[in-house]
Amino acid sequence: NQMLRMLIPNDSIESIRQKANQNDPQALLDLGDCHMFGLKNMRVSKRKAYECYKKSAELNNPEAITQLGILKQEEGDLR
């Protein structure tokens, strides 16, 4: 988790959400990581992480495509 915290920008969760709502692929990935790993004081929600990774992957973010694949392999289909 410590390594992941270093990868998430210092932006507030509100700022990340705002960018994600504008379909920013990196912000969607970051928000997915926050949901997946409980970063930025968020509760873990693999379903919400899946939704964020999926949107980011649809915007051709290769990291999100990887995270989505890992999540699907570990958890199955979370639609």
Side-chain angles (χ1 to χ4, degrees):
N1 251 4
Q2 188 62 31
M3 188 171 157
L4 282 171
R5 282 184 185 28
M6 293 179 352
L7 298 176
I8 301 295
N10 288 329
D11 295 354
S12 67
I13 192 62
E14 292 79 17
S15 177
I16 293 170
R17 279 191 178 128
Q18 183 178 29
K19 291 175 186 175
N21 287 337
Q22 296 170 354
N23 290 324
D24 179 303
Q26 186 61 49
L28 285 161
L29 176 69
D30 293 343
L31 186 58
D33 286 343
C34 289
H35 286 299
M36 183 71 185
F37 302 106
L39 303 176
K40 302 242 179 229
N41 297 318
M42 296 185 68
R43 282 191 300 165
V44 171
S45 172
K46 292 183 180 182
R47 183 177 305 277
K48 289 180 181 179
Y50 173 90
E51 292 169 4
C52 292
Y53 292 152
K54 186 173 186 296
K55 286 180 187 176
S56 185
E58 288 170 350
L59 295 168
N60 298 316
N61 184 328
E63 290 177 64
I65 293 167
T66 300
Q67 286 300 101
L68 186 60
I70 292 168
L71 185 56
K72 281 184 171 182
Q73 185 172 1
E74 291 177 355
E75 302 295 326
D77 195 356
L78 293 170
R79 278 186 263 169

